[in-house]
Amino acid sequence: MLILPGKNFFLLIALLLANVSQAKELLGPEEGVVPYGMGRAYSAIADDWLSLYYNPAGLALVKNIDLQLFDLSLSSNDDVRKNYSHFKEVAKSSKGSLADSISELAGKHVMASAANVTQITVPNFALGVVYRAHTDFDLENLAYPTTQMRFTRDFAIIGGGAVTGGKRKEFRLGAAVKWIKRTGGMKEIPISEILGNDRKSIADLFNQTGTGLGGDVGLQYRLPIPGRVEYTASFVWHDIGKTSFGGVQAQNPPTRIEENAVAGLGIRFPIGGMKNRRLERRYGPSRSTSHLSFAFDYSHLNYSLNEEQFAKHCHLGMNLDLPILSLQLGLNQSSLSFGTSFDIGVLRIAMATYGEELGSFAGQKPDRRYLLSIGSALGFPSR
């Protein structure tokens, strides 16, 4: 049984508090590590278990049974890494005030999350169970009268399927439905209220819990170009109509998930006909060669350029998929990303780093983040 960091661990970080910049982070799917190494450009090349989250249409390409026993991931940013020892000392000590903690962390952004995914994927269908705890805040202007804190714990059950048409499965259409139980959210709190209460009182502000139903739809279309090289266009609409928690009558419900429309392009080059047993387990003999993929995503189509600058919508990446390992390189908004994944038998270890823009325009305030994932999967023939 996997034991993930609990609520107190994440609230410890969040209770150090601070003022969040007025620009917002553009959120998207958070599962897996490989897409982050590719700059979060994945909708057009999604064709494995992660298709359930990035583009359910890609489930149409799965040929065999893939059982993800677990995929445990941890992520944080530079300021957590550099100040981890300080967080531990704050947790151990009952001395000192919140004001002292805020002063020591002035000018820093803090983000941390832990998650696990367990999933079964069969041809044209997948069912996953996801747990994720996330917190972040930005200590900038201590003279500002309010601060924003974000703390969420999500437990989700997600199911999706896909249909396909054409001799080479050129057209793929997929959909996913998710049930999510969420605790917490994002709140703007006066600094005076924070300093006038103890930590337990602040933690109680994030006890609201609600459930919600959400849905995604996606499509992929392989362009009719002869040859083994695949050129694919894609479109995904995540959280159609926004995913809310607790119903319209709920008072102080958890923060909802905003909808996100994504358009993408992908190119997949087979490499010399070299057999890749890991890919054969996933797709069958027809698509079992090692390959080099390039992808581009334009996310948050539903936000105008007046709301978010053009470069903040852009994601570009490549993935070299070899028999034992894969290598990723990309550009997330304006920040370089890269990663690697080792797949040895039933054990998979993946690492990635990327930059997330927290400012109003790309390059203004990139936040360097790190991800580590340890997973285990079993593959079986579908027949």
Side-chain angles (χ1 to χ4, degrees), residues 86 95-105 195:
H86 173 70
K95 299 178 181 179
S97 66
L98 285 175
D100 294 333
S101 298
I102 290 173
S103 177
E104 290 185 38
L105 291 175
L195 301 181

Side-chain angles (χ1 to χ4, degrees), residues 54-57 161 173-177 215-219 235-240 260-262:
Y54 289 87
N55 190 343
L173 177 65
V177 177
D216 305 338
V217 296
L219 63 85
F235 175 80
V236 194
W237 192 356
H238 297 285
D239 296 283
I240 300 169
N260 172 22
V262 182

